[in-house]
Amino acid sequence: MPQNEYIEEAIKKHGRQFNYEERMRKREAREVHKKSAYAQKVHGFKAKLYNKKRHAEKIQMKKTLKMHDERSNKHKTDDKVQEGAVPTYLLDRENQTRAKVLSNMIKQKRKEKAGKWNVPLPKVRGISEDEMFKVIKTGKSKSKAWKRMVTKATFVGESFTRKPPKMERFIRPMALRYKKAHVTHPELRATFYLPIIGVKKNPQSAMYTQLGVITKGTIIEVNVSELGLVTSNGKVVWGKYAQVTNNPELDGCINAVLLV
């Protein structure tokens, strides 16, 4: 076979290899969208199995990310110094060991993300949707029942604007909206009336957290700038978390304990 035909064969082979790699890359990029479409479409027992599988995959992915977050750190050992002469080039060295540790910042972020704190009320009573919401019937013959009124205390931000009545699914009554809370500092043993910044986590449901529903055991963020708390760097602390310890819808006020 002439030499130029060898070259042509090599070029064709290389082109096929490139096309294969490009196809595989595009297939992987499309896989995410296919999984999303399937997750939205599937229902019933198949949906349970698929969600269980995806949950296991996400846990594995988080474990892998956790391993990458680890870094090597040097610290002194408590071992006794060896007896006898030590070479001069070792005199200025200290016994060190390496250990896999995580920085405090990463640990703090993970705690906040997982919503794990040492809280005064570690367990709370579950609240059903029937107790949380009241069905509001609408329509000319009152046959539609897709609206819900929240029967518990809620928090909405300063810039909150209600949706038009025809589009509003969840109604939060003005009488049950709270902007401030009685927050007790456990170390100072004093109570302060502080503004609420937001609802960090409601243990009942993620939907209640999004709606800003405040029930017993909810973690809220309060403005503690007037307390004059400072960090180790000397910066003034603006917001801190607190846990609600009472039933606001029954007491008419929010009582909370600061998490320090």
Side-chain angles (χ1 to χ4, degrees), residues 122-172:
K123 292 183 180 180
V124 292
R125 180 183 68 87
I127 300 175
S128 64
E129 286 197 6
D130 295 337
E131 187 181 347
M132 181 69 70
F133 300 119
K134 177 186 174 184
V135 178
I136 302 295
K137 293 192 175 182
T138 57
K140 191 174 181 180
S141 58
K142 301 294 179 184
S143 57
K144 297 178 182 178
W146 57 274
K147 284 193 177 189
R148 298 289 182 270
M149 180 181 284
V150 182
T151 59
K152 304 293 180 184
T154 56
F155 169 79
V156 294
E158 292 290 336
S159 58
F160 172 74
T161 306
R162 283 184 64 179
K163 290 182 180 179
K166 285 193 175 182
M167 299 180 184
E168 192 175 30
R169 173 161 166 71
F170 295 103
I171 301 168
R172 288 168 279 189

Side-chain angles (χ1 to χ4, degrees), residues 57-73:
E57 288 176 1
K58 285 180 181 178
I59 289 173
Q60 190 60 39
M61 184 176 65
K62 284 184 179 179
K63 285 182 179 177
T64 308
L65 290 173
K66 186 177 181 181
M67 288 171 60
H68 287 298
D69 282 341
E70 291 179 348
R71 63 183 177 84
S72 181
N73 184 43

Side-chain angles (χ1 to χ4, degrees), residues 52-150:
K52 190 177 180 181
K53 179 186 171 187
R54 286 289 297 144
H55 182 64
E57 288 176 1
K58 285 180 181 178
I59 289 173
Q60 190 60 39
M61 184 176 65
K62 284 184 179 179
K63 285 182 179 177
T64 308
L65 290 173
K66 186 177 181 181
M67 288 171 60
H68 287 298
D69 282 341
E70 291 179 348
R71 63 183 177 84
S72 181
N73 184 43
K74 291 181 180 179
H75 60 275
K76 294 181 185 178
T77 57
D78 296 330
D79 299 338
K80 293 181 180 179
V81 180
Q82 296 179 0
E83 294 182 0
V86 181
T88 53
Y89 60 86
L90 291 178
L91 287 174
D92 59 339
R93 297 188 186 181
E94 295 172 341
N95 292 332
Q96 291 180 343
T97 182
R98 288 178 177 269
K100 293 274 186 178
V101 296
L102 288 170
S103 67
N104 290 331
M105 191 178 294
I106 293 173
K107 283 183 180 178
Q108 187 66 25
K109 283 183 180 177
R110 284 193 183 166
K111 280 184 181 178
E112 289 180 5
K113 192 173 182 181
K116 294 176 182 176
W117 298 278
N118 293 324
V119 292
L121 300 176
K123 292 183 180 180
V124 292
R125 180 183 68 87
I127 300 175
S128 64
E129 286 197 6
D130 295 337
E131 187 181 347
M132 181 69 70
F133 300 119
K134 177 186 174 184
V135 178
I136 302 295
K137 293 192 175 182
T138 57
K140 191 174 181 180
S141 58
K142 301 294 179 184
S143 57
K144 297 178 182 178
W146 57 274
K147 284 193 177 189
R148 298 289 182 270
M149 180 181 284
V150 182

Side-chain angles (χ1 to χ4, degrees), residues 176-210:
L176 287 172
R177 293 187 195 174
Y178 293 86
K179 294 183 178 179
K180 289 193 172 185
H182 300 281
V183 181
T184 302
H185 197 295
E187 293 175 359
L188 299 176
R189 296 187 180 277
T191 304
F192 306 92
Y193 194 49
L194 303 176
I196 301 172
I197 298 173
V199 177
K200 179 66 179 175
K201 188 175 181 69
N202 190 316
Q204 304 291 341
S205 168
M207 182 179 71
Y208 301 157
T209 305
Q210 190 177 1

Side-chain angles (χ1 to χ4, degrees), residues 8-21:
E8 288 175 4
E9 285 292 324
I11 291 170
K12 286 179 182 177
K13 186 178 179 181
H14 180 71
R16 282 197 297 270
Q17 181 69 21
F18 175 76
N19 289 338
Y20 173 76
E21 290 174 357

